[in-house]
Amino acid sequence: MEKEDVKILNKGEEEELELQGYRLCRWRLALVGLGVLFTGGFLLLLLYWMPQWCVRSTCTRTTARDAEVVLLRSTDEFRRWFLAKVRLMLAPGSNPFHSLETQTTSPSSPSCPFSSPVPPPLANGHTSHPSDGSPAQELIRRFADYQPTQIRYFTFHSTKYYWNDELQNFEVLTGLEDLQVSCSTLHLEHSAGLTRNQQEYRKLFFGVNEIAVKVPSLFKLLIKEVLNPFYIFQLFSVILWSADEYYYYALAIVIMSVISIATSLYTIKKQYVMLHDMVAAHSIVRVSVCRADNDIEEILSTDLVPGDVVVIPSNGTIMPCDAVLVSGTCIVNESMLTGESVPVTKTNLPNPIPGDRGESDSAYNTEEHKRHTLFCGTNVIQTRFYTGELVKAVVVRTGFSTAKGQLVRSILYPKPTDFKLYRDAYLFLLCLVGVAGIGFIYSIVLSIMNEVPAKTIIIESLDIITITVPPALPAAMTAGIVYAQRRLKHIGIFCISPQRINICGQINLVCFDKTGTLTEDGLDLWGVQRVENGSFHLSEENAYKENLVKSQFVACMATCHSLTKIEGQLSGDPLDLKMFEATGWILEEATEEETSLHNRIMPTVVRPPKQLLPQELPISTEQDMELYELSSAYEIGIVRQFPFSSALQRMSVVARLLGEKRMDAYMKGAPEVVASLCKKDTVPENFAEVLEGYTKQGFRVIALAHRRLESKLTWHKVQNINRDHIESNMEFLGLIIMQNKLKAETPGVLQDLHQAHIRTVMVTGDNMLTAISVARDCGMIPPQDTVIIADALPPHGGQAAKITWRYADKPSKTTRCLEEVNISLEDVCHRDEPKPQEFYHFAMNGKSFSVIAEHFPDMLQKLVLHGTVFARMAPDQKTQLIEALQGVDYFVGMCGDGANDCGALKRAHSGISLSELEASVASPFTSRTPNISCVPNLIREGRAALITSFCVFKFMALYSIIQYISVTLLYSILSNLGDFQFLFIDIAIILLIVFTMSLNPAWKELVSRRPPSGLISWPLLFSVLTQILICLGFQILTFLWVQQQPWYTVWSPLSDACNQSTHLNLSDVNDTEVDDHNIQNYENTSLFYVSSFQYLTVAIVFSKGKPFRQPSYKNWPFVMSTLSLYFFLLFIMFHPVESIDEFLEIVCVPVEWRLKLLLIIVVNTTVSVVVETFVLDIVLWKLVFSRDKQGSFGITPAAPLPQGGFDLGAYKCLARLCCPHRMTPKARYMHLAQELSVDPDWPPKPTTTTEAKSYPENGSNYQIRISS
């Protein structure tokens, strides 16, 4: 038995996991228990924080098959650990899809992959229990002849993993798709329904059909929040200070922590309740199911299992599961999934004739057969059935396996967002802990040498740790975020994940949904341009004219669509709707009663309004009147529809005019496609020029065509004819010009983002040509830039996957070349100039994106570098795109308005929803303003909050180091700061300054520079280290200089440094309280004054303003606080007040020494300001450590070149000093751009095809070949 085996779960999927099996070990458990006891529970906390340590310390390794506990680790870049307990379940069978009547009694049968032999006494002392209690026992009793089977499983992230003996691994049961059933088998074997026994049996494995979002109790949330390492450290600090009778500051920290925890709990609880309400709204409904005995039974939707046959009610319903239609037709609103609130017609799954070897009888797949699949959470508006037949659907997936379930799982269990600031913060804290460790050892050694009591040694040694690692740090860091959150709320942006505000400051790429985000929700008809006798007429505003009513052009507009009537209202694709409304015609559909009486579909009829028809009245008899009415009844019946296909880029219909024997075919679609299917003599010669004129203006152009069909084509023949036969040899009718209106704010906002060097990308569920048109219209793609469409095809018929490259339109003759000089460290140090680059953008649809992601992973990284338009993207593809962009080190923002954006909004570094519906539950930010103007506002506030976090973190680090220096110097003379000195510094100075220095509002505009992303960067380290050295130098100077003063002696109550000894008498001395801690002395007083001013100095120099925040002088609370503290400290320094001196335990020093202290303070302040402002901000930050080098690494139009802002000569000089060797950019996208700038084969030419290789050579998994 191989004990060290590591299994891979969900191989190749997003949630891929490594699994190791463990068995509980009693002696290890006992040892850990003792360890917990001896460490006062701290070991238990450590094991809670580190699940891998918990499992390894309490268990021994075993095979996955025999595991009692499994240790899971994600294979992504975060490598997170999880543990799960393996449970046992008894069931009457082992495979949920086998009929109970056919189950064998031998549990080790090969046909039972999930089975395990059940010995009479259960192994390992496990108590077997069914997943749902009594139903399994009831089933086992009912089938007592069969030996019960032991099933092993564990639950992770709302998904059950069952042990499969055949695979020797755990696997997920998703539903009916696991069987790989063909369409014909699905009709033949699964359309009759299940018996009650089968349904109960399957329910054991698939569980309750419910997307259960449990709202944790406040107590559970409280425990989870309180067990954060920072709060544990605060608790330790509070206990220590209480032991040292330092109650006031301890109370202040407790109050801050309680407020912080309460706010956090409220936010988390609110999120859970919102998500629960969104999911629970329609999760439990009553449904009718067909049983195997032709019975129809009404049950709760929670009892549905894969294989059940549900009856869809005629008045519609919210789907409680994923199901495939096997009879009838449904009209469904899928806005929950796609974001496009356009009703979609779902038809029944094709049932190929048995024996037919055509390709149509493929294995059922929800993605391939989505036109026949009703998805969970979508709204069935109405159904259609014929000759009394019910509309039925077979349940395919239930619970969290459904499309909606997966969406909810992505919200419940998001990947952590990695942000360098937080990683660096922990690293910085570790450095402070290291410094504290040195002080800890130093204080112990010094105290032992001076024979200090043990209790004092313990308290003072531990106290130095709480000084070095400030417990108020979380509250201080939160302050800036809370203020930013308040400012965002003021401008209508609501935040449910405050930590993301800081990350917004780093965003350098924003993905936008199109419909409802960049554009208004609908399309508008701009005009029409008809063709007659092979030439264009002048463009006309509309076709609502009497002279056109009987023209083929208007007939095509009135018939070639997929509109339907829902509750008397026309509904369908917005383009079709606008086109039909422009004709003014009326659409009439057969009623349910009419369709139920006929074996075949009654045709949809369209007719013009009477006022458009000729008004000639016959002057004749009654018979003539009847003939007139018949002739004036101009109606067209739509006999057959060939639905719009994004692959074919067209749709067509067969229609018949009332009274005519021959039928007509009408077609509409992409102009180039339609023109290629028409007779050449009917297409105008200037067709290409006219079309280009419209597309360059950003219009959506649709072409129309017509053909008179042969008289031999009857109704029956038309129903079975191939669309290729219809869609050929047509006559070109003209163009319809549609306008997808942009929201007024869109171009301006995108311009602001471009000027700030923030890339913009469109990711939409809409058509690609529309998306490219809108991208050009809004300025996302400049008019002269080339758009290269990547069409990817999966492997087929033994051929490898391939990508065909083509231009979206003819590139302008004046295609720009990169003439600007790219200035960067790379250019200065490495003189090989890159090749001139064209400005180009990639565009692709969802299918191509999936193929490229699977078969060309290296290519995908290069494509996203210049990818600007991603069309026809499914919700999960949007999420994958966000991850691909993050994979090349972009900080990605996502702005959308639909539930289909939920996964992407959650996954992005910063997601902002323009809708307050489903999307707002997943999105960290929700805007009340229904346009994208909120995006630059959010980034500005994010930058301000990020700089505030840096300022506060630097200030808190300096505060702890300054105090640490003071205490360490005083420890050397067995002294310390007094309790009230600590209290004054910690509350009056530190908390007041921290909470006011965070109030600077954001700068009024977005600049092209971005703040640093981490604390471990040269400018910030230089800043902190120089200030530490300055403070250390001046404190040591003060400490040594005071001891060199002629009046200096070891202080006692009789000391006469201020010539006050004459006023003291012996009784005063006797009454004086003995100073056990040796607080009152000249060194203490001098260091107290100097360090107090140092806190204020570093607060001023660290409180940065422009270009990310408003200047500090505009932050009046900070200015007032600083001035007040300066005034107070100078006042008590030069005008001692006895009560204040006693309270702060300050001693009197001569006036000349106070003047010398003032000199030290002034020089200290001057040096700090000069070093921080002039040396760091002007020289180092702007010249050497500038981070915006995107343009210099070939990130063309999407991330323009930085313009100006620094002295080029100085830059070159410093750069030569700083990079003697070739510099490689840190961000992966910059590195890729650098490589591509010298690649002669990039970008791919429109005449090439890229093919995937079976066996990659030289690290490349594709090759480019020229198409013939």
Side-chain angles (χ1 to χ4, degrees), residues 795-977:
H796 181 68
Q799 293 185 332
K802 62 180 181 180
I803 309 171
T804 306
W805 311 95
R806 61 185 174 91
Y807 282 142
D809 47 30
K810 288 186 179 178
S812 172
K813 291 177 184 176
T814 56
T815 303
R816 296 183 300 176
C817 281
L818 190 63
E819 293 173 359
E820 295 96 331
V821 179
N822 294 345
I823 302 301
S824 72
L825 301 181
E826 158 62 21
D827 294 325
V828 174
C829 303
H830 190 72
R831 297 188 180 182
D832 293 348
E833 290 187 15
K835 61 183 173 62
Q837 294 172 339
E838 292 180 351
F839 279 73
Y840 59 92
H841 304 254
F842 288 111
M844 67 189 78
N845 59 26
K847 284 183 180 175
S848 295
F849 177 81
S850 292
V851 172
I852 293 167
E854 185 178 349
H855 299 283
F856 303 87
D858 294 348
M859 177 72 78
L860 182 65
Q861 291 197 334
K862 295 176 182 179
L863 288 177
V864 296
L865 206 64
H866 290 271
T868 304
V869 174
F870 296 86
R872 294 285 185 222
M873 296 287 276
D876 59 326
Q877 289 170 338
K878 289 187 178 186
T879 310
Q880 287 164 19
L881 173 64
I882 299 290
E883 289 174 354
L885 290 163
Q886 289 171 336
V888 289
D889 296 341
Y890 276 114
F891 282 90
V892 185
M894 171 74 196
C895 183
D897 67 334
N900 63 317
D901 301 319
C902 280
L905 288 167
K906 193 79 174 174
R907 185 68 193 100
H909 289 104
S910 164
I912 180 161
S913 165
L914 303 185
S915 154
E916 292 183 49
L917 303 173
E918 295 100 329
S920 63
V921 178
S923 178
F925 302 95
T926 304
S927 172
R928 281 268 170 90
T929 312
N931 60 61
I932 63 169
S933 61
C934 55
V935 174
N937 288 335
L938 181 62
I939 296 172
R940 282 191 309 105
E941 288 296 347
R943 289 179 174 186
L946 183 57
I947 286 295
T948 299
S949 293
F950 284 133
C951 295
V952 168
F953 199 96
K954 284 162 64 180
F955 175 68
M956 292 301 283
L958 258 293
Y959 144 64
S960 59
I961 293 293
I962 291 168
Q963 202 169 75
Y964 172 78
I965 293 166
S966 303
V967 169
T968 310
L969 287 171
L970 291 173
Y971 271 12
S972 67
I973 58 165
L974 296 182
S975 179
N976 199 351
L977 290 172

Side-chain angles (χ1 to χ4, degrees), residues 79 271 307 413 430 612 773 791 830 838 996 1061 1161 1181:
R79 304 289 286 163
Q271 273 182 274
Y413 312 107
L430 280 175
L612 278 183
S773 163
D791 282 327
H830 190 72
E838 292 180 351
T996 55
S1061 56
I1161 290 159
W1181 186 289

Side-chain angles (χ1 to χ4, degrees), residues 582-872:
T583 65
W585 284 38
I586 297 153
L587 181 138
E588 289 178 351
E589 283 184 327
T591 62
E592 285 178 19
E593 290 77 20
E594 287 170 330
T595 54
S596 63
L597 296 171
H598 295 78
N599 282 324
R600 65 187 193 207
I601 299 171
M602 289 281 287
T604 299
V605 173
V606 291
R607 56 181 174 80
K610 285 181 180 176
Q611 61 266 30
L612 278 183
L613 290 169
Q615 297 295 318
E616 301 165 13
L617 282 172
I619 313 162
S620 192
T621 59
E622 239 179 79
Q623 190 179 355
D624 290 334
M625 193 70 179
E626 284 175 17
L627 284 168
Y628 166 75
E629 283 178 3
L630 187 65
S631 65
S632 66
Y634 187 82
E635 291 183 353
I636 302 175
I638 301 167
V639 177
R640 187 173 179 198
Q641 271 186 13
F642 294 101
F644 176 80
S645 162
S646 53
L648 300 174
Q649 296 185 336
R650 62 182 185 267
M651 82 162 285
S652 56
V653 293
V654 177
R656 177 186 279 170
L657 181 64
L658 184 68
E660 286 278 341
K661 287 186 177 178
R662 290 170 70 178
M663 298 187 195
D664 295 277
Y666 295 102
M667 177 169 70
K668 80 167 195 290
E672 300 90 344
V673 175
V674 171
S676 68
L677 297 169
C678 290
K679 296 173 188 172
K680 284 188 178 178
D681 59 329
T682 65
V683 181
E685 287 180 7
N686 61 340
F687 165 77
E689 288 80 6
V690 170
L691 178 62
E692 190 175 350
Y694 286 125
T695 52
K696 281 195 171 179
Q697 292 176 64
F699 290 116
R700 170 87 185 273
V701 185
I702 305 293
L704 305 183
H706 162 258
R707 176 181 155 206
R708 192 96 162 138
L709 295 178
E710 302 84 0
S711 55
K712 64 180 180 182
L713 280 175
T714 62
W715 190 94
H716 283 288
K717 284 182 179 177
V718 165
Q719 296 309 312
N720 300 305
I721 199 166
N722 190 306
R723 73 185 290 173
D724 293 338
H725 182 76
I726 299 287
E727 296 170 342
S728 62
N729 209 28
M730 303 193 88
E731 291 179 11
F732 194 78
L733 293 177
L735 303 172
I736 297 175
I737 300 101
M738 311 291 286
Q739 192 175 22
N740 196 185
K741 279 189 180 173
L742 288 170
K743 288 185 177 177
E745 302 79 8
T746 298
V749 170
L750 293 179
Q751 180 64 26
D752 290 347
L753 293 175
H754 286 160
Q755 286 174 352
H757 298 170
I758 295 169
R759 259 189 75 186
T760 52
V761 170
M762 186 189 297
V763 48
T764 175
D766 210 339
N767 175 277
M768 186 188 288
L769 295 174
T770 308
I772 292 171
S773 163
V774 171
R776 285 200 184 279
D777 207 16
C778 66
M780 201 177 272
I781 300 175
Q784 63 271 43
D785 287 6
T786 306
V787 177
I788 303 170
I789 295 178
D791 282 327
L793 295 170
H796 181 68
Q799 293 185 332
K802 62 180 181 180
I803 309 171
T804 306
W805 311 95
R806 61 185 174 91
Y807 282 142
D809 47 30
K810 288 186 179 178
S812 172
K813 291 177 184 176
T814 56
T815 303
R816 296 183 300 176
C817 281
L818 190 63
E819 293 173 359
E820 295 96 331
V821 179
N822 294 345
I823 302 301
S824 72
L825 301 181
E826 158 62 21
D827 294 325
V828 174
C829 303
H830 190 72
R831 297 188 180 182
D832 293 348
E833 290 187 15
K835 61 183 173 62
Q837 294 172 339
E838 292 180 351
F839 279 73
Y840 59 92
H841 304 254
F842 288 111
M844 67 189 78
N845 59 26
K847 284 183 180 175
S848 295
F849 177 81
S850 292
V851 172
I852 293 167
E854 185 178 349
H855 299 283
F856 303 87
D858 294 348
M859 177 72 78
L860 182 65
Q861 291 197 334
K862 295 176 182 179
L863 288 177
V864 296
L865 206 64
H866 290 271
T868 304
V869 174
F870 296 86
R872 294 285 185 222

